[in-house]
Amino acid sequence: MQKTLLAIIILFCFSTTSLYSQSVKLPGFGVVEYSQKGEQYTLDFKDYGKFDFFGTITPLNLSGTITLEQLNKFPGYVILEKMNIQDIELELSGEGFFVNANVSTIGSMKTLCEFLQIKEPYLSVSARIATNGIAMRGGMVFKDEPLKILLVPDMGTSIAYESVSIEADIGIEYEMVNDEESGRGLSIDITPTIDIVTEMLITPTKWDPALKTETVFSYNLVTQEISGSGSVIDTWTNPFGIGQHFNDKEVITLTNAAVSLGWIPMTPSPSKIGFYLEEGRFFDLAFTTAMDLSPTSGEVAIRAGRNKLTMNDFTRILREGFDLDVPDIFPDDIYVENVELLFSPNGGSVGAFEIDEGLAIKGTLVFIDGYNGSLDFKASKEEGIFLYMNMNANFRDKIQKELSNNNILKPILNKILDGYEMKSIELMMDAKTSGKLAGKTKVQAVVLKQDINFSFEGSFDGERLAKEVIARITEIGLQNVDLAEAAKKVIDAASKASENSIKLANTGFRKAQELARDAEVAMNHAGHSADHCSNHCVPRYAQGQTNAMLEGSNNAVKAFRDDIIIHLRDNVQGANEQETQRMRSDLIKAEWDKLIAGIDRDWDVIDNDRTVIRFFFFPSDATEGRKKYRRLVNAENQKHVKYRESLWREMMVTMPPRAADGSRRRRPQ
């Protein structure tokens, strides 16, 4: 009886010791409690659940099997669940918590595996799990030979690869080792996306070599949408067969190209392959380059850009690239800004930018004298080689400078400029079968309602073009010599009228000054009251000043009118009233303004006269007296201003009398 009781006590103590809770440090989770029962270890992951393992605690090397549902509280479960992992084994070690499983190549992985042409039923994956994330690795190696996928048979577009790697790093990295728990509560709403990493050989078209490319695809396990990007390691020469347009010369060299690939969901082949380079070399000139390839339509296109291109470089491209005989028609001071190079062997697009078949170079022409234009070059197997250039220039400043030195045309310079319009300056050249680029520069303009149309071979030089335009404007202007001579007569008459009128104005001013001195001498204000001087002396003095000044000013402007109005009436008539006024004003205003400026200076002298201050004893009375004087002077001055404004209007609108037929009669010359 005593032996039996002792055995029970020993068994109870042994059982209690075996189930006693202990702990172990696990990277990614920190301290995890466990209990042992025989060879089985049960680890308590708190909110994530309890799991049974077999193996050793020291060193940490435990393994166990579970179902997918048991992982439903762990970070990254949404990815594991969407991948429908099977045959799940858990491994715990000094490296962390790992899930090893098989992934079915059907279901959510179907689109990806069909594209990669993976025919095996399963892929093996391994995932590290921590409280703050999940990191997964898996893949497949094709040992016999690279797997090749022909995307577009007609274009020869294909990709080939020897292995694929499945990766997903969310919150942590697969190689991370951390003894402590680094965080908790990774969101379960993460996007179920995995990456596929591979080193591919991409053959963009049948004209291109296979290019070694490091590629990363992103695969959404819900939408099954694939997007990819990578970097082309190899040097790419003459992409998309562009060398065919340059007699197979090496004209474009691309290095460090970035590649992007896009798929329409639920389709097994990419819908677009795009390439982008910070710098490509075109005839040894740096260009930013973008390229697109559409496997679904078979379209390929290149779009390259450069800030500036000299005309020497442009003509070098034409000569060396196309073996063209290009004449020396471009001056050195022309260059091209915002240069675009566009190429497609069969028509295509880069983004939303449509590109026609062939090679095109476009840009903004800049000339040293400030003009600009456009350049448009096209080389096409179907249409041949064409060059179009235009210049947005009217040469107005050059015309004005040149004609202002022409004594015959100077009087009607403003009329010429107002009636002048440059419609177009264009250079059109082509190289058909001769291999020589030839064409003409064509100019279309209008002056004085007459067309100017001419063309010439040779230079597209702004200086020469301006001289040609000026020569033709001069010719047309001389056809209007009668108008020019009439205008000259008006100018001469205005100059004489101005001289005579200024003399009259000066005479009036001197007379006003003499009368002012006489009035001052004649007056004795010492015995006058302030009111008397304010009401009698100041007005009398102001009247003496302004009477002579008003008479002299009015006589001066009237004399100007009388001397010039017949010349204006008979010689200067425009197509309408507004044009007539503008033409007449252009001819006489300078002389009129000179006369008016002198008259206004004389009125200012009278207005600033301080004589009346001495009429008063007290300063306050003197201030008020001078204010009154200035008001009186200003009132008389305004009479003159209104009078001269009426004369100006008369000079602007007076027309010759009408003939019996209703037309305006001109005075015989």
Side-chain angles (χ1 to χ4, degrees):
M1 183 65 182
Q2 291 180 344
K3 290 181 179 181
T4 300
L5 180 60
L6 180 61
I8 292 173
I9 293 172
I10 292 172
L11 179 61
F12 174 79
C13 292
F14 177 77
S15 300
T16 303
T17 302
S18 299
L19 296 175
Y20 182 73
S21 179
Q22 301 180 69
S23 63
V24 64
K25 284 187 177 181
L26 181 64
F29 286 87
V31 177
V32 179
E33 294 182 353
Y34 71 88
S35 61
Q36 180 181 358
K37 185 175 182 181
E39 296 181 357
Q40 176 178 297
Y41 295 89
T42 301
L43 275 70
D44 186 358
F45 288 89
K46 303 300 183 184
D47 295 339
Y48 306 114
K50 294 181 179 181
F51 300 91
D52 296 331
F53 297 89
F54 293 90
T56 62
I57 288 291
T58 306
L60 184 58
N61 185 15
L62 299 173
S63 63
T65 59
I66 61 170
T67 63
L68 176 60
E69 181 63 26
Q70 289 179 275
L71 292 171
N72 65 351
K73 294 182 180 179
F74 276 86
Y77 172 74
V78 64
I79 291 178
L80 302 176
E81 188 267 337
K82 290 297 180 184
M83 293 178 69
N84 191 25
I85 63 172
Q86 304 172 28
D87 307 323
I88 305 169
E89 288 189 3
L90 302 184
E91 287 188 2
L92 275 59
S93 68
E95 303 260 323
F97 186 118
F98 291 87
V99 175
N100 300 318
N102 290 324
V103 178
S104 174
T105 55
I106 61 175
S108 61
M109 296 288 287
K110 180 180 179 180
T111 298
L112 176 65
C113 293
E114 283 184 350
F115 164 67
L116 296 174
Q117 295 191 4
I118 297 174
K119 303 187 183 303
E120 284 75 2
Y122 297 101
L123 294 175
S124 297
V125 296
S126 175
R128 172 200 291 276
I129 297 179
T131 59
N132 59 330
I134 181 173
M136 183 170 57
R137 296 292 183 271
M140 178 172 288
V141 176
F142 304 96
K143 298 179 180 179
D144 297 334
E145 60 179 337
L147 186 60
K148 185 174 182 179
I149 304 173
L150 186 61
L151 300 177
V152 188
D154 291 343
M155 294 294 294
T157 306
S158 66
I159 59 175
Y161 51 92
E162 295 180 345
S163 64
V164 292
S165 174
I166 298 174
E167 298 182 2
D169 290 334
I170 303 173
I172 64 172
E173 296 179 4
Y174 190 82
E175 294 79 11
M176 180 195 74
V177 177
N178 186 355
D179 289 339
E180 299 298 328
E181 182 180 7
S182 55
R184 295 186 64 84
L186 179 71
S187 172
I188 62 172
D189 295 326
I190 58 173
T191 302
T193 302
I194 60 174
D195 292 333
I196 299 91
V197 181
T198 181
E199 186 174 282
M200 281 187 172
L201 290 175
I202 296 181
T203 304
T205 68
K206 57 188 175 184
W207 301 290
D208 296 301
L211 304 171
K212 185 181 291 186
T213 308
E214 293 182 348
T215 310
V216 177
F217 301 108
S218 179
Y219 182 62
N220 189 306
L221 292 162
V222 176
T223 64
Q224 300 186 29
E225 181 178 357
I226 306 172
S227 60
S229 62
S231 177
V232 178
I233 300 172
D234 290 336
T235 298
W236 191 359
T237 302
N238 287 353
F240 302 159
I242 195 173
Q244 297 177 87
H245 289 263
F246 296 93
N247 300 320
D248 293 323
K249 295 178 181 179
E250 187 176 303
V251 295
I252 295 185
T253 303
L254 308 177
T255 56
N256 300 323
V259 58
S260 62
L261 302 97
W263 275 258
I264 299 173
M266 307 306 292
T267 60
S269 62
S271 57
K272 201 78 165 176
I273 301 177
F275 299 87
Y276 179 82
L277 299 94
E278 289 188 4
E279 183 177 290
R281 308 294 297 183
F282 181 74
F283 277 94
D284 291 327
L285 299 171
F287 279 77
T288 299
T289 308
M291 299 178 288
D292 267 0
L293 185 155
S294 176
T296 55
S297 65
E299 294 182 350
V300 294
I302 299 174
R303 185 184 184 192
R306 179 179 170 86
N307 290 334
K308 182 177 178 180
L309 183 69
T310 67
M311 290 308 296
N312 285 336
D313 285 331
F314 176 66
T315 54
R316 179 171 64 86
I317 291 172
L318 301 186
R319 289 170 179 151
E320 296 180 6
F322 297 92
D323 292 329
L324 288 175
D325 181 1
V326 182
D328 293 320
I329 61 173
F330 308 113
D332 294 336
D333 54 24
I334 301 179
Y335 61 91
V336 190
E337 282 187 337
N338 304 319
V339 185
E340 279 192 327
L341 184 150
L342 310 168
F343 171 73
S344 177
N346 54 0
S349 62
V350 177
F353 201 91
E354 295 293 331
I355 298 175
D356 295 330
E357 177 270 329
L359 174 80
I361 300 175
K362 302 175 183 288
T364 300
L365 281 173
V366 179
F367 298 80
I368 195 169
D369 47 10
Y371 303 125
N372 59 47
S374 63
L375 177 146
D376 193 344
F377 173 80
K378 181 71 181 294
S380 167
K381 289 183 178 180
E382 297 179 359
E383 300 178 8
I385 295 176
F386 294 89
L387 173 63
Y388 171 83
M389 300 170 67
N390 68 34
M391 182 188 296
N392 299 321
N394 56 30
F395 307 123
R396 186 175 294 272
D397 52 342
K398 297 181 184 295
I399 294 169
Q400 184 170 4
K401 181 178 179 181
E402 188 71 22
L403 297 190
S404 63
N405 295 322
N406 187 313
N407 291 330
I408 297 177
L409 298 180
K410 181 179 179 180
I412 59 169
L413 175 58
N414 287 334
K415 184 176 180 64
I416 289 174
L417 292 175
D418 287 346
Y420 166 70
E421 178 189 1
M422 175 59 72
K423 291 188 173 181
S424 65
I425 302 173
E426 299 177 325
L427 170 66
M428 289 176 281
M429 309 183 77
D430 62 67
K432 295 180 180 176
T433 57
S434 64
K436 181 177 181 179
L437 196 63
K440 292 184 177 182
T441 298
K442 297 182 179 180
V443 178
Q444 291 184 315
V446 174
V447 65
L448 297 176
K449 299 182 180 179
Q450 295 188 43
D451 291 333
I452 297 176
N453 296 302
F454 65 92
S455 62
F456 57 87
E457 295 181 359
S459 175
F460 194 65
D461 185 335
E463 204 59 42
R464 177 181 173 181
L465 287 168
K467 289 179 180 178
E468 294 282 351
V469 171
I470 290 170
R472 283 160 174 77
I473 289 177
T474 301
E475 182 181 348
I476 293 174
L478 291 175
Q479 296 171 7
N480 292 268
V481 68
D482 290 343
L483 177 60
E485 290 294 342
K488 188 173 186 303
K489 290 180 181 179
V490 173
I491 292 174
D492 292 341
S495 178
K496 293 177 182 178
S498 176
E499 292 177 6
N500 295 334
S501 299
I502 288 173
K503 291 177 182 178
L504 285 175
N506 289 339
T507 300
F509 175 67
R510 287 194 299 272
K511 185 176 180 181
Q513 293 293 86
E514 291 171 359
L515 290 174
R517 285 193 294 272
D518 292 344
E520 183 181 0
V521 171
M523 289 183 178
N524 181 8
H525 306 280
H528 296 171
S529 66
D531 287 342
H532 179 82
C533 278
S534 177
N535 294 325
H536 297 283
C537 301
V538 170
R540 188 182 306 118
Y541 182 76
Q543 185 177 15
Q545 286 274 63
T546 57
N547 280 353
M549 187 63 204
L550 180 61
E551 181 183 1
S553 300
N554 287 350
N555 287 341
V557 293
K558 181 177 182 298
F560 185 98
R561 187 276 313 269
D562 292 344
D563 288 343
I564 197 70
I565 194 165
I566 294 176
H567 297 283
L568 292 173
R569 183 192 68 189
D570 294 344
N571 297 305
V572 186
Q573 300 170 34
N576 51 52
E577 183 176 328
Q578 289 75 21
E579 184 179 349
T580 298
Q581 291 184 28
R582 181 192 54 72
M583 292 171 61
R584 292 181 179 184
S585 176
D586 288 344
L587 292 172
I588 70 170
K589 195 170 190 307
E591 295 295 339
W592 176 262
D593 286 347
K594 183 165 64 174
L595 169 64
I596 297 305
I599 292 173
D600 287 344
R601 282 194 299 271
D602 292 344
W603 276 100
D604 286 342
V605 171
I606 292 174
D607 181 66
N608 290 323
D609 190 311
R610 301 175 66 82
T611 300
V612 296
I613 292 177
R614 297 196 296 271
F615 292 2
F616 300 93
F617 180 77
F618 293 106
S620 59
D621 294 334
T623 298
E624 292 300 318
R626 188 165 185 277
K627 286 181 180 179
K628 185 170 186 176
Y629 167 79
R630 295 189 69 185
R631 285 196 299 272
L632 295 170
V633 170
N634 183 63
E636 296 302 300
N637 175 248
Q638 287 303 305
K639 293 178 182 178
H640 164 70
V641 170
K642 291 180 179 179
Y643 179 66
R644 75 192 190 197
E645 287 176 349
S646 69
L647 296 183
W648 176 261
R649 286 192 296 273
E650 183 182 353
M651 290 186 290
M652 292 297 101
V653 301
T654 298
M655 301 293 286
R658 293 186 180 275
D661 60 0
S663 63
R664 295 289 185 182
R665 291 181 298 184
R666 290 182 178 272
R667 185 179 182 184
Q669 300 297 314

